[in-house]
């Protein structure tokens, strides 16, 4: 999984770098507060993915969804963990029920902003 | 469908296109001086918090529950702007287009007309995203808008009260129409070579205050163009609209109904400018066509002028400023081209 995370980050960063040189390993590493050599190793899969905080910072830099990068790193964001741990039985059951549904069916249960009369 | 996600309104149209998503953020900002001068664009200072009105139950006015939607807190004479961002679709190398109509107190912010569902082209009563990344106020003339400034509903300052003569709705009203899917595919055909996939994130008030609602009044003037629709009116899927009523709660009321502190008050234009912080200007191509602005809106009185006539000090700290550091942003914003001021 670590290799897949690294590859994904490298491809995304290189793609952005084609249009903007500030997406070099050195500059992205500086912006998220890690050493360039460390980010380079992560991208090559020689190091495990970084902490949740650094992954979220990286997601912001690369204009990616933090949850997607966390999932690639085999992690779940701490707010989701907290929500599940508060009501573990309920959420475990819910996720198992929903896991095989197609996206549009899952989206249909997302809470919507209600429109009224105006 | 509209979701509330991280204090953003996320409009999705999965039946139109899986990536037809529009994000609207209501940005805090400083109030520009209302002094007869025309200013560059002020910064974004972060998103206002948003809550479902349904979550606040019986503590909010019954009319809010009738209207549905969301609520945000604003201080009296605080300003806001709207930021629009639609999902970039790598296969077609374009962000999905939307037509978005914005009103305050059910007065259209582009034309000054009364609210109506549906789009009108003559004059254009909506903006087009992604062409238009933000809207800061009422379009009073070609290239000039007057900033949205919160004033208590019933005090006579809001555009709604000046035009309609009644204080009934307040808040902001937003309706979004996606481009028809077949038009999208025709106008923006998929790129022939496979591109790397860009994965994006799915992505009892009366006891506190007699006027919990705020309306948006016209404040100081700034340079901002409302771009003409480059597409055809038939290109928009007008039967697939989603709309939202954004109530504006007085900050004291917000504290009472949510139990949360509202964001701190923004800096004044003077404080911000004296610290050398950036203002912004947004340049389009020379050939970009723009709306002329509304004669109805041009006739509105600004908060400062109306306050003076009423004998109120409606806009404290309204000193003129001379912004020196102005960041130029070109149409078609790049990754790091943000309109943000860290203060």
């Amino acid at each position: 999984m670590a290799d897949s995370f690294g590859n994904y980050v490298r491809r995304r960063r290189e793609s952005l770098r084609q249009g903007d040189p500030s997406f070099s390993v050195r500059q992205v590493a500086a912006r998220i507060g890690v050493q360039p050599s460390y980010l380079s190793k992560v991208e090559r899969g020689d190091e495990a993915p970084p902490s949740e905080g650094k992954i979220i910072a990286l997601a912001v830099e690369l204009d990616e969804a933090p949850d997607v990068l966390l999932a690639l790193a085999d992690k779940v964001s701490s707010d989701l963990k907290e929500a599940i741990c508060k009501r573990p039985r309920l959420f475990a059951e819910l996720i198992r029920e929903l896991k095989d549904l197609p996206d549009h069916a899952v989206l249909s249960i997302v809470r919507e902003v209600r429109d009224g009369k105006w | 469908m509209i979701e509330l996600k991280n204090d953003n309104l996320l409009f999705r149209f999965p039946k139109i296109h899986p990536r037809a998503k529009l994000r609207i953020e209501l940005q805090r900002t400083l109030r520009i001086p209302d002094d007869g001068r025309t200013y560059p664009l002020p910064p974004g200072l972060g998103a206002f918090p948003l809550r479902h009105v349904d979550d606040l139950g019986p503590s909010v006015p019954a009319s809010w529950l009738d209207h549905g939607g969301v609520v945000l807190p604003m201080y009296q004479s605080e300003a806001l702007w709207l930021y629009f961002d639609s999902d970039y679709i790598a296969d077609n190398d374009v962000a999905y287009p939307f037509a978005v109509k914005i009103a305050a107190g059910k007065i259209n912010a582009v034309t000054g007309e009364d609210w109506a569902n549906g789009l009108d082209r003559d004059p254009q009563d909506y903006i087009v995203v992604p062409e238009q990344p933000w809207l800061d106020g009422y379009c009073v003339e070609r290239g000039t808008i007057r900033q949205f400034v919160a004033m208590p509903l019933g005090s006579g300052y809001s555009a709604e009260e000046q035009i309609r003569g009644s204080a009934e709705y307040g808040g902001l009203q937003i309706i979004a129409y996606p481009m028809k899917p077949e038009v999208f595919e025709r106008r923006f055909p998929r790129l022939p070579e496979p591109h790397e996939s860009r994965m994006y994130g799915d992505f009892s008030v009366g006891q506190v205050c007699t006027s919990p609602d705020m309306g948006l009044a016209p404040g100081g003037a700034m340079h901002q163009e409302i771009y003409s629709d480059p597409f055809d009116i038939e290109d928009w899927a007008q039967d697939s609209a989603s709309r939202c009523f954004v109530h504006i709660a007085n900050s004291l009321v917000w504290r009472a109904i949510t139990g949360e502190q509202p964001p701190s008050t923004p800096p004044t234009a003077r404080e911000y400018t004296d610290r050398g912080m950036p203002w912004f200007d947004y340049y389009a191509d020379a050939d970009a066509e723009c709306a002329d602005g509304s004669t109805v809106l041009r006739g509105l009185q600004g908060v400062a002028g109306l306050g003076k006539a009423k004998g109120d000090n409606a806009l404290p700290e309204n000193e003129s400023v001379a912004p020196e550091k102005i960041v130029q942003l070109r149409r078609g914003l790049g990754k790091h081209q943000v309109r943000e001021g860290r203060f």
Side-chain angles (χ1 to χ4, degrees):
Chain A
M1 181 55 83
D3 183 42
S4 146
F5 173 86
N7 267 333
Y8 186 86
V9 168
R10 181 172 46 76
R11 273 189 284 119
R12 177 75 183 119
R13 184 187 54 71
E14 288 292 346
S15 160
L16 290 167
R17 190 184 174 199
Q18 286 177 10
D20 184 343
S22 74
F23 284 94
S24 65
V25 170
R26 182 174 299 278
Q27 292 190 56
V28 170
R31 290 199 293 270
I32 67 167
V34 299
Q35 292 295 323
S37 58
Y38 171 70
L39 180 58
S40 187
K41 284 179 183 171
V42 168
E43 287 191 351
R44 291 200 306 269
D46 293 341
E47 282 275 3
S51 66
E52 178 183 343
K54 295 296 179 198
I55 290 177
I56 291 172
L58 195 52
V60 171
E61 272 303 313
L62 302 179
D63 210 2
E64 289 285 352
D67 287 327
V68 171
L69 283 196
L70 285 167
L72 283 168
D74 223 4
K75 293 175 193 277
V76 176
S77 70
S78 46
D79 65 319
L80 286 180
K81 271 187 205 158
E82 192 184 327
I84 294 168
C85 290
K86 268 187 185 165
R87 292 186 284 180
R89 197 173 290 182
L90 182 67
F91 276 105
E93 194 176 332
L94 183 69
I95 291 167
R96 288 192 182 101
E97 283 289 323
L98 299 180
K99 70 182 169 58
D100 296 324
L101 288 186
D103 288 359
H104 66 86
V106 176
L107 276 175
S108 68
I109 62 163
V110 168
R111 184 179 183 191
E112 291 186 48
V113 173
R114 181 177 62 82
D115 190 17
K117 291 180 190 165
W118 43 277
Chain B
M1 60 187 297
I2 309 173
E3 290 169 64
L4 192 50
K5 208 166 185 180
N6 302 325
D7 292 326
N8 286 196
L9 291 168
L10 185 61
F11 292 68
R12 293 178 196 256
F13 299 87
K15 288 181 183 165
I16 292 285
H17 190 288
R19 303 292 293 277
K21 293 177 205 163
L22 169 70
R23 184 170 67 87
I24 299 183
E25 189 169 272
L26 297 151
Q27 276 279 335
R28 298 170 58 235
T29 188
L30 53 87
R31 193 186 69 239
I32 63 169
D34 183 3
D35 58 358
R37 302 181 190 186
T38 305
Y39 285 87
L41 301 168
L45 299 172
F48 280 100
L50 295 172
R51 300 287 177 270
H52 291 270
V53 287
D54 292 338
D55 289 355
L56 308 175
S59 61
V60 300
S63 62
W64 290 16
L65 296 172
D66 286 345
H67 298 151
V70 299
V71 56
L72 63 83
M74 287 183 84
Y75 296 96
Q76 180 168 327
S77 74
E78 186 177 2
L80 68 67
W81 53 269
L82 295 97
Y83 169 62
F84 309 99
D85 181 31
S86 69
D87 221 11
Y88 175 80
I89 302 176
D91 288 350
N92 306 71
D93 193 25
V94 71
Y96 203 91
F98 292 89
V100 186
K101 202 145 104 165
I102 307 292
K106 292 185 71 176
I107 296 293
N108 190 298
V110 177
T111 64
E113 303 290 330
D114 260 324
W115 176 268
N117 289 332
L119 299 173
D120 205 335
R121 191 66 175 262
D122 188 23
Q124 180 180 314
D125 64 354
Y126 58 93
I127 61 161
V128 176
V129 179
E131 272 72 12
Q132 188 88 35
W134 41 65
L135 180 71
D136 285 61
Y138 297 103
C139 180
V140 293
E141 60 185 75
R142 189 183 175 86
T144 307
I145 61 104
R146 292 196 79 155
Q147 192 176 29
F148 290 131
V149 173
M151 293 298 284
L153 198 62
S155 62
Y157 289 93
S158 68
E160 167 186 9
E161 290 163 89
Q162 292 192 50
I163 292 172
R164 203 183 288 123
S166 62
E168 191 177 351
Y169 295 104
L172 275 166
Q173 296 76 35
I174 304 169
I175 188 165
Y177 302 86
M179 180 172 272
K180 290 175 181 169
E182 65 277 16
V183 175
F184 176 71
E185 295 296 343
R186 172 170 52 82
R187 285 189 175 275
F188 307 103
R190 285 167 189 261
L191 298 174
E193 291 177 23
H195 275 226
E196 284 187 357
S197 164
R198 286 177 65 162
M199 292 176 67
Y200 273 77
D202 280 348
F203 314 43
S204 77
V205 172
Q207 294 155 346
V208 178
C209 174
T210 51
S211 177
D213 268 305
M214 305 283 267
L216 293 175
M222 70 180 90
H223 294 292
Q224 186 170 64
E225 287 160 330
I226 306 295
Y227 300 108
S228 299
D229 184 355
F231 307 114
D232 300 324
I233 191 83
E234 299 79 20
D235 289 357
W236 304 109
Q238 294 205 46
D239 52 353
S240 299
S242 283
R243 61 177 210 167
C244 182
F245 198 118
V246 181
H247 300 269
I248 303 175
N250 168 307
S251 290
L252 287 174
V253 172
W254 174 267
R255 206 172 289 144
I257 62 180
T258 64
E260 299 166 11
Q261 291 293 331
S264 56
T265 51
T268 64
R270 158 79 50 208
E271 289 167 338
Y272 184 84
T273 308
D274 283 354
R275 292 198 190 179
M277 303 293 285
W279 293 63
F280 298 87
D281 225 334
Y282 187 66
Y283 276 100
D285 302 329
D287 57 352
E289 291 189 18
C290 307
D292 285 332
S294 156
T295 50
V296 178
L297 296 172
R298 202 172 304 150
L300 294 176
Q301 291 196 66
V303 177
L306 191 53
K308 201 171 174 185
K310 286 169 174 271
D312 292 345
N313 181 18
L315 291 185
E317 300 173 293
N318 189 42
E319 293 169 76
S320 300
V321 295
E324 287 179 358
K325 186 175 176 185
I326 300 175
V327 176
Q328 312 282 350
L329 299 176
R330 280 195 64 79
R331 194 172 175 188
L333 297 173
K335 159 77 180 156
H336 288 298
Q337 289 185 298
V338 292
R339 182 182 157 191
E340 193 174 87
R342 297 189 192 281
F343 194 84

